[in-house]
Amino acid sequence: MTAPTSDLVIAGRPLSSRLLLGTGGLPRPDLVQPVLEAARPGLVTVSVRRTSSSAPGGLLALVREAGVPVLPNTAGCLSAREAVTTAELAREALGTDWVKLEVIGDETSLLPDAVELLEAAAELVGRGFTVLPYTTADPVLARRLADAGCAAVMPLGSPIGSGLGILDPYAIEAVVAAVDVPVVLDAGIGSASDAARAMELGCDAVLAATAVTRAVDPVAMARALRLAVESGTAARGAGRIPRRTTARSASPLEGRIA
């Protein structure tokens, strides 16, 4: 496994960073700018259903002032029909055909509904959208989504907002191996170590939201995640040593003084 040698490119569009950010849950508007400066994200996701307007002082206005590209999402949608309608509203309101596609099965687990997700993805690709679907860490479903024309896949590390990190690293590696589009680790990031781990596993990028917005110090956590993504990418390129079940001396034993 080798580290990426160039910028992250999705659907032919280079992004400035492999860290993507969700800022909708920040406790105060005045934190938006310093968090963005600390994270330097390549994209910022905004919920179409929860963002009231782009008026001065609102989240959209603040993100745009920072010059960070916006990625609308369909958070809260429970069916393919709802998601497609929400994506169309986002395209009309925000002037972008990029969408982070979320279709959840219920409002308790917030886990993706695979059947509705695949249906919505195919419909949106057919309508000319650049689709980045939030999905389970299932290599078969990820391949089906890529085959449907999705520009990237976004497997969850663990449930949304849980902060549990990557529960099944082997599944994430399987997703990376299954698709030829960028893989963005989404959901479950709790701290910097989770972001670094995702990059070491082969992900092309990480999306974090709650880890920043509910941190005691959101600005400090935003900076830590940026550095972790950079560190994980570098470590992947450096090549970790093989794991062993027995000890191995760091220095040669030959020629030692008896």
Side-chain angles (χ1 to χ4, degrees):
M1 183 183 298
T2 58
T5 56
S6 58
D7 292 339
L8 173 63
V9 177
I10 297 179
R13 175 181 176 182
L15 302 180
S16 62
S17 169
R18 294 178 183 274
L19 175 62
L20 315 184
L21 201 63
T23 58
L26 282 171
R28 305 193 314 272
D30 65 300
L31 285 171
V32 173
Q33 291 287 5
V35 161
L36 292 179
E37 289 176 5
R40 303 176 199 168
L43 289 170
V44 170
T45 64
V46 295
S47 171
V48 177
R49 302 182 66 174
R50 297 170 184 155
T51 303
S52 58
S53 75
S54 58
L59 174 61
L60 273 176
L62 292 171
V63 172
R64 283 172 165 164
E65 286 175 14
V68 183
V70 171
L71 175 64
N73 68 47
T74 62
C77 290
L78 292 165
S79 69
R81 182 180 59 81
E82 285 182 31
V84 170
T85 300
T86 302
E88 288 286 11
L89 289 172
R91 179 154 64 180
E92 181 71 22
L94 303 179
T96 177
D97 57 12
W98 281 47
V99 63
K100 180 192 171 191
L101 176 61
E102 295 186 29
V103 187
I104 57 174
D106 60 66
E107 294 178 334
T108 301
S109 70
L110 301 180
L111 291 172
D113 182 320
V115 174
E116 297 289 325
L117 180 69
L118 193 55
E119 178 182 336
E123 175 70 21
L124 289 170
V125 169
R127 294 183 182 212
F129 281 88
T130 298
V131 182
L132 291 73
Y134 162 66
T135 179
T136 51
D138 176 347
V140 177
L141 178 57
R143 189 183 307 119
R144 292 285 300 275
L145 289 164
D147 290 346
C150 292
V153 293
M154 307 180 73
L156 59 89
S158 51
I160 290 174
S162 67
L164 291 172
I166 300 172
L167 294 180
D168 189 345
Y170 303 106
I172 297 299
E173 287 183 316
V175 170
V176 170
V179 300
D180 57 4
V181 296
V183 175
V184 182
L185 195 286
D186 186 9
I189 294 291
S191 190
S193 56
D194 301 325
R197 179 72 168 137
M199 300 307 294
E200 291 178 355
L201 289 171
C203 292
D204 296 282
V206 167
L207 189 150
T210 307
V212 172
T213 60
R214 296 186 181 174
V216 174
D217 186 339
V219 176
M221 184 59 77
R223 178 176 181 275
L225 290 176
R226 171 173 58 82
L227 296 175
V229 168
E230 295 174 1
S231 178
T233 304
R236 191 164 104 211
R240 64 158 298 124
I241 62 170
R243 291 182 172 84
R244 297 166 53 94
T245 57
T246 57
R248 180 179 184 180
S249 174
S251 300
L253 297 178
E254 294 81 6
R256 63 178 175 171
I257 299 173

Coordinates of all heavy atoms in Angstrom, one line a residue, residues 154-207:
M154 N -18.3 6.8 0.7 CA -18.0 7.3 2.0 C -18.5 6.3 3.0 O -19.6 6.4 3.6 CB -18.7 8.6 2.2 CG -18.4 9.6 1.1 SD -19.1 11.3 1.2 CE -18.2 11.9 2.6
P155 N -17.7 5.2 3.3 CA -18.1 4.2 4.3 C -18.0 4.8 5.7 O -17.1 5.6 6.0 CB -17.1 3.1 4.0 CG -15.9 3.8 3.5 CD -16.4 4.9 2.6
L156 N -18.9 4.3 6.6 CA -18.8 4.8 8.0 C -17.8 3.9 8.7 O -17.6 2.7 8.5 CB -20.2 4.6 8.6 CG -20.9 3.3 8.7 CD1 -20.5 2.5 9.9 CD2 -22.4 3.4 8.6
G157 N -17.1 4.6 9.6 CA -16.2 3.9 10.5 C -16.9 3.3 11.7 O -16.6 2.2 12.2
S158 N -18.0 4.0 12.2 CA -18.9 3.6 13.2 C -20.1 4.5 13.2 O -20.1 5.5 12.4 CB -18.2 3.6 14.6 OG -17.6 4.8 14.8
P159 N -21.1 4.3 13.9 CA -22.3 5.1 13.8 C -22.1 6.6 13.9 O -21.2 7.0 14.7 CB -23.2 4.6 14.9 CG -22.8 3.1 15.1 CD -21.3 3.1 14.9
I160 N -22.9 7.4 13.2 CA -22.8 8.8 13.2 C -22.8 9.4 14.7 O -23.7 9.0 15.5 CB -24.0 9.4 12.5 CG1 -23.8 9.1 11.0 CG2 -24.1 10.9 12.7 CD1 -25.0 9.6 10.1
G161 N -21.9 10.2 14.9 CA -21.8 10.9 16.2 C -21.4 10.0 17.4 O -21.3 10.5 18.5
S162 N -21.0 8.8 17.1 CA -20.6 7.9 18.2 C -19.2 8.1 18.7 O -18.9 7.9 19.9 CB -20.7 6.4 17.8 OG -19.7 6.1 16.8
G163 N -18.3 8.6 17.9 CA -16.9 8.8 18.3 C -16.2 7.5 18.6 O -15.1 7.5 19.2
L164 N -16.7 6.4 18.1 CA -16.1 5.1 18.3 C -14.9 4.8 17.4 O -14.3 3.7 17.6 CB -17.1 4.0 18.2 CG -18.2 4.0 19.3 CD1 -19.3 2.9 19.0 CD2 -17.6 3.7 20.7
G165 N -14.7 5.6 16.4 CA -13.6 5.4 15.5 C -13.9 4.3 14.5 O -15.1 4.1 14.1
I166 N -12.9 3.6 14.1 CA -13.1 2.5 13.0 C -13.3 1.2 13.7 O -12.3 0.6 14.2 CB -11.9 2.5 12.1 CG1 -11.8 3.9 11.4 CG2 -12.0 1.4 11.0 CD1 -10.5 4.1 10.6
L167 N -14.5 0.7 13.7 CA -14.8 -0.6 14.4 C -14.3 -1.8 13.7 O -13.9 -2.8 14.3 CB -16.3 -0.7 14.7 CG -16.9 0.3 15.6 CD1 -18.4 0.1 15.7 CD2 -16.2 0.3 17.0
D168 N -14.3 -1.7 12.3 CA -13.9 -2.9 11.5 C -12.9 -2.4 10.5 O -13.2 -2.1 9.3 CB -15.1 -3.5 10.9 CG -14.7 -4.8 10.2 OD1 -13.5 -5.1 10.0 OD2 -15.7 -5.6 9.9
P169 N -11.6 -2.3 10.8 CA -10.6 -1.9 9.9 C -10.5 -2.8 8.7 O -10.1 -2.3 7.6 CB -9.3 -1.8 10.7 CG -9.6 -2.7 11.9 CD -11.0 -2.6 12.2
Y170 N -10.7 -4.1 8.8 CA -10.6 -5.0 7.7 C -11.7 -4.7 6.7 O -11.5 -4.8 5.4 CB -10.8 -6.4 8.2 CG -9.7 -6.8 9.2 CD1 -10.0 -6.9 10.6 CD2 -8.4 -6.9 8.8 CE1 -9.1 -7.2 11.5 CE2 -7.4 -7.2 9.8 CZ -7.8 -7.3 11.1 OH -6.8 -7.6 12.0
A171 N -12.9 -4.3 7.1 CA -14.0 -3.9 6.2 C -13.6 -2.6 5.4 O -13.9 -2.5 4.2 CB -15.3 -3.7 6.9
I172 N -13.0 -1.7 6.1 CA -12.6 -0.5 5.4 C -11.5 -0.8 4.3 O -11.6 -0.3 3.2 CB -12.0 0.6 6.4 CG1 -13.1 1.0 7.4 CG2 -11.4 1.8 5.6 CD1 -14.3 1.7 6.7
E173 N -10.6 -1.7 4.7 CA -9.6 -2.1 3.7 C -10.2 -2.8 2.5 O -9.8 -2.6 1.4 CB -8.5 -3.0 4.4 CG -7.6 -2.2 5.3 CD -6.5 -3.1 5.9 OE1 -6.9 -4.3 6.3 OE2 -5.3 -2.7 5.9
A174 N -11.3 -3.6 2.8 CA -12.0 -4.3 1.7 C -12.7 -3.3 0.8 O -12.7 -3.5 -0.4 CB -13.0 -5.3 2.3
V175 N -13.3 -2.3 1.3 CA -13.9 -1.2 0.5 C -12.9 -0.6 -0.4 O -13.1 -0.4 -1.6 CB -14.6 -0.2 1.4 CG1 -15.1 1.0 0.5 CG2 -15.8 -0.9 2.1
V176 N -11.7 -0.2 0.2 CA -10.7 0.4 -0.6 C -10.2 -0.4 -1.7 O -10.0 0.0 -2.9 CB -9.5 0.8 0.3 CG1 -8.3 1.2 -0.5 CG2 -9.8 1.8 1.4
A177 N -10.1 -1.7 -1.5 CA -9.7 -2.7 -2.5 C -10.8 -2.9 -3.6 O -10.5 -3.3 -4.7 CB -9.3 -4.0 -1.9
A178 N -12.1 -2.7 -3.2 CA -13.2 -3.0 -4.1 C -13.5 -2.0 -5.1 O -14.1 -2.3 -6.1 CB -14.4 -3.3 -3.2
V179 N -13.1 -0.8 -4.9 CA -13.6 0.3 -5.8 C -12.4 1.0 -6.4 O -11.3 1.0 -5.9 CB -14.5 1.3 -5.1 CG1 -15.7 0.6 -4.6 CG2 -13.7 2.0 -4.0
D180 N -12.6 1.7 -7.6 CA -11.6 2.5 -8.2 C -11.9 4.0 -8.2 O -11.4 4.7 -9.0 CB -11.3 2.0 -9.6 CG -12.6 2.1 -10.5 OD1 -13.6 2.5 -10.0 OD2 -12.5 1.7 -11.6
V181 N -12.8 4.3 -7.2 CA -13.1 5.8 -7.0 C -12.6 6.1 -5.6 O -12.3 5.2 -4.8 CB -14.6 6.0 -7.1 CG1 -15.1 5.8 -8.5 CG2 -15.4 5.2 -6.0
P182 N -12.4 7.4 -5.3 CA -11.9 7.8 -3.9 C -12.8 7.2 -2.8 O -14.0 7.2 -2.9 CB -11.8 9.3 -4.0 CG -11.7 9.6 -5.4 CD -12.5 8.6 -6.2
V183 N -12.1 6.9 -1.7 CA -12.8 6.4 -0.5 C -12.6 7.4 0.6 O -11.5 7.7 1.0 CB -12.3 5.0 -0.1 CG1 -13.0 4.6 1.2 CG2 -12.6 4.0 -1.1
V184 N -13.7 7.9 1.1 CA -13.7 9.0 2.1 C -14.3 8.3 3.4 O -15.5 8.0 3.4 CB -14.5 10.2 1.7 CG1 -14.4 11.3 2.9 CG2 -14.0 10.8 0.4
L185 N -13.5 8.2 4.4 CA -14.0 7.6 5.7 C -14.9 8.6 6.3 O -14.6 9.8 6.5 CB -12.8 7.3 6.6 CG -13.0 6.5 7.9 CD1 -13.8 7.2 9.0 CD2 -13.7 5.1 7.5
D186 N -16.2 8.2 6.6 CA -17.2 9.1 7.1 C -17.9 8.5 8.3 O -18.1 7.3 8.3 CB -18.2 9.3 6.0 CG -19.3 10.4 6.4 OD1 -19.1 11.0 7.4 OD2 -20.2 10.5 5.6
A187 N -18.1 9.3 9.3 CA -18.9 8.9 10.5 C -18.0 8.1 11.5 O -17.3 7.2 11.1 CB -20.1 8.2 10.2
G188 N -18.1 8.5 12.7 CA -17.5 7.7 13.8 C -16.1 8.3 14.3 O -15.6 7.9 15.3
I189 N -15.6 9.3 13.5 CA -14.3 9.9 13.9 C -14.5 10.5 15.3 O -15.4 11.3 15.5 CB -13.9 10.9 12.9 CG1 -13.5 10.3 11.6 CG2 -12.7 11.7 13.4 CD1 -12.3 9.4 11.6
G190 N -13.6 10.2 16.2 CA -13.7 10.7 17.6 C -12.6 11.6 17.9 O -12.7 12.6 18.7
S191 N -11.4 11.3 17.3 CA -10.2 12.1 17.6 C -9.2 11.9 16.5 O -9.4 11.2 15.5 CB -9.6 11.7 19.0 OG -8.6 12.6 19.4
A192 N -8.1 12.6 16.7 CA -7.1 12.6 15.6 C -6.6 11.2 15.3 O -6.3 10.9 14.1 CB -5.9 13.5 16.1
S193 N -6.4 10.3 16.3 CA -5.9 9.0 16.0 C -6.8 8.2 15.0 O -6.3 7.4 14.2 CB -5.8 8.2 17.3 OG -7.0 8.2 18.0
D194 N -8.1 8.4 15.1 CA -9.0 7.8 14.1 C -8.8 8.2 12.7 O -8.8 7.5 11.8 CB -10.5 8.0 14.5 CG -10.8 7.6 15.9 OD1 -10.3 6.5 16.4 OD2 -11.6 8.3 16.6
A195 N -8.5 9.5 12.5 CA -8.3 10.1 11.2 C -7.0 9.5 10.6 O -6.9 9.2 9.5 CB -8.3 11.6 11.3
A196 N -6.0 9.5 11.5 CA -4.7 8.9 11.0 C -4.8 7.5 10.6 O -4.3 7.0 9.6 CB -3.6 9.1 12.1
R197 N -5.6 6.7 11.4 CA -5.8 5.3 11.2 C -6.5 5.1 9.8 O -6.1 4.2 9.0 CB -6.6 4.7 12.3 CG -6.9 3.2 12.1 CD -5.7 2.4 12.4 NE -6.1 1.0 12.5 CZ -5.4 0.0 11.9 NH1 -4.4 0.3 11.1 NH2 -5.7 -1.3 12.1
A198 N -7.5 5.9 9.5 CA -8.2 5.8 8.3 C -7.3 6.0 7.1 O -7.3 5.2 6.1 CB -9.3 6.9 8.2
M199 N -6.4 7.0 7.2 CA -5.5 7.2 6.1 C -4.5 6.1 5.9 O -4.1 5.6 4.8 CB -4.7 8.5 6.3 CG -5.6 9.8 6.3 SD -6.8 9.9 4.9 CE -5.6 10.2 3.6
E200 N -4.0 5.5 7.1 CA -3.1 4.4 7.0 C -3.8 3.1 6.4 O -3.1 2.3 5.8 CB -2.6 4.1 8.4 CG -1.7 5.1 9.0 CD -1.2 4.8 10.4 OE1 -1.7 3.8 11.0 OE2 -0.4 5.6 10.9
L201 N -5.1 3.0 6.6 CA -5.8 1.9 6.0 C -6.1 2.0 4.5 O -6.5 1.1 3.9 CB -7.2 1.7 6.7 CG -7.1 1.3 8.2 CD1 -8.5 1.4 8.8 CD2 -6.6 -0.2 8.2
G202 N -5.7 3.2 4.0 CA -5.9 3.3 2.5 C -6.9 4.3 2.0 O -7.1 4.4 0.8
C203 N -7.6 4.9 3.0 CA -8.7 5.9 2.6 C -8.0 7.1 1.9 O -6.8 7.4 2.2 CB -9.4 6.4 3.8 SG -10.5 5.1 4.5
D204 N -8.7 7.7 1.0 CA -8.2 8.9 0.3 C -8.5 10.2 1.0 O -7.9 11.2 0.7 CB -8.9 8.9 -1.1 CG -8.5 7.7 -1.9 OD1 -7.4 7.7 -2.5 OD2 -9.3 6.8 -2.0
A205 N -9.4 10.1 2.0 CA -9.8 11.3 2.7 C -10.6 10.9 3.9 O -11.1 9.8 4.0 CB -10.6 12.3 1.8
V206 N -10.8 11.9 4.8 CA -11.6 11.7 6.0 C -12.6 12.9 6.1 O -12.3 14.0 5.8 CB -10.7 11.7 7.3 CG1 -11.6 11.8 8.5 CG2 -9.9 10.4 7.3
L207 N -13.9 12.5 6.5 CA -14.8 13.6 6.8 C -15.1 13.6 8.3 O -15.5 12.5 8.8 CB -16.1 13.4 6.0 CG -17.1 14.6 6.1 CD1 -17.9 14.8 4.8 CD2 -18.0 14.5 7.3

